[in-house]
Amino acid sequence: FFLSPKLEKQTKGKAQKQICQVVLDHFEKQYTAELGDAWSRVRDVLTSPWCWQHALLLNRFSQCPGLESSLAEQGYHPAFPAALPYLPAALRCYIRTAPGRFPSQKHQPGKLKEYFLLNAASLLPVLALEVKDGEHVLDLCAAPGGKSVAILQCAWPGHFQCNEYDDLRSRWLEQTIESFIPDPLINLIMVSKLDGRQIGDLQPEFYDKVLVDAPCSNDRSWLFSADPQQAVLRLMQRKDLSSLQFQLLRSAVKALRPGGSLVYSTCTLSRAENTDVISLLLNSCRNVMPVDITDMARGVSQEFAFLSGTQQHELLVLPEKGRAWGPMYVAKLKKMSST
């Protein structure tokens, strides 16, 4: 994985990112077994930050005249085709195949940001959730807030709870919401700091839609762990994550009203944290059914590369050159009535 001197210079200029060998070795072993030939293409993208792409999600509450035409001049185009089963007109995301990122906007109290920089694949869980105006919605693990902001670009829930257990991340979430959502509307959003594993018992059958964007082993950032000891610790704790994810999902199912939908997402390629967690839930909860999301996947297949062979209720976005989005795992489930 040595870089040519020219590319090495380029990388150093962009960001002093150093690949953490212990993490790469671990991934090499695990993902060669799980992804087969696809892993080498994915690895090439994940270990090359200079080829990463960044999308812009426009903020419908702070329109900037001329922004869309200036994006078009720079080679950006709308990310999602109108043929998708669910695509609210107000959700506008722009991407381009060229790598690099648009300048980010700083947080200024009292001033709304015009756009949010994100990995375009992170909008897929929001599109799968299909939130409609007036619904009761829970974002169970909401920080840093990108998906909460995206949900609010799609619809205006009757009740919207954004939950984040971690104190520091919760403050980050509050700041994100404050940066994108105007005053009268912000009062309708409830930011809570509850343990996500307990929400189902505290608020049983209250929500129409629940998003569980679970804590996971974030493959992109873990590869660049600055501290090798921290990396080793993370890899040791990795096997405990699926148990936490399963508990969060169980709680989410309890919080859903019968007929309500649940979307689970992670930004890891790991089968143990993706398919295995969902299979365990489906096998242990009789009142939960998988929901087919192949229409959505088909609709966005121009822009995203997917792992083949996944089931109809799930998808896994694999980063590849020119479509360097993901990793992003998405699964959709529905709670059946108890009769």
Side-chain angles (χ1 to χ4, degrees), residues 137-208:
V137 181
L138 167 64
D139 188 350
L140 193 71
C141 316
K147 292 181 182 69
S148 296
V149 165
I151 285 169
L152 294 168
Q153 303 304 313
C154 294
W156 200 255
H159 176 94
F160 190 28
Q161 182 173 350
C162 303
N163 183 69
E164 180 52 54
Y165 188 44
D166 181 87
D167 205 45
L168 193 66
R169 287 173 63 80
S170 178
R171 287 207 290 279
W172 189 6
L173 169 65
E174 283 176 343
Q175 189 176 340
T176 302
I177 289 171
E178 195 185 302
S179 293
F180 285 90
I181 311 304
D183 255 350
L185 299 178
I186 217 165
N187 303 330
L188 304 175
I189 303 165
M190 180 183 157
V191 177
S192 57
K193 294 186 195 177
L194 300 166
D195 182 335
R197 293 168 293 189
Q198 294 165 2
I199 283 185
D201 290 325
L202 296 169
Q203 299 167 315
E205 303 200 340
F206 182 72
Y207 292 98
D208 300 295

Side-chain angles (χ1 to χ4, degrees), residues 46 76 170 218 229:
L46 290 182
Y76 284 88
S170 178
N218 182 331
Q229 283 163 316

Side-chain angles (χ1 to χ4, degrees), residues 43-105:
R43 181 193 59 212
D44 289 349
V45 172
L46 290 182
T47 54
S48 314
W50 62 87
C51 76
W52 294 0
Q53 292 155 270
H54 298 268
L56 273 89
L57 176 67
L58 304 195
N59 185 11
R60 66 165 165 160
F61 303 112
S62 172
Q63 308 262 334
C64 174
L67 177 59
E68 287 178 84
S69 51
S70 120
L71 286 170
E73 281 163 26
Q74 294 180 52
Y76 284 88
H77 63 272
F80 300 109
L84 284 181
Y86 172 84
L87 187 71
L91 182 85
R92 287 170 310 154
C93 173
Y94 280 81
I95 60 175
R96 62 174 182 178
T97 42
R101 60 190 296 161
F102 210 69
S104 57
Q105 296 182 309

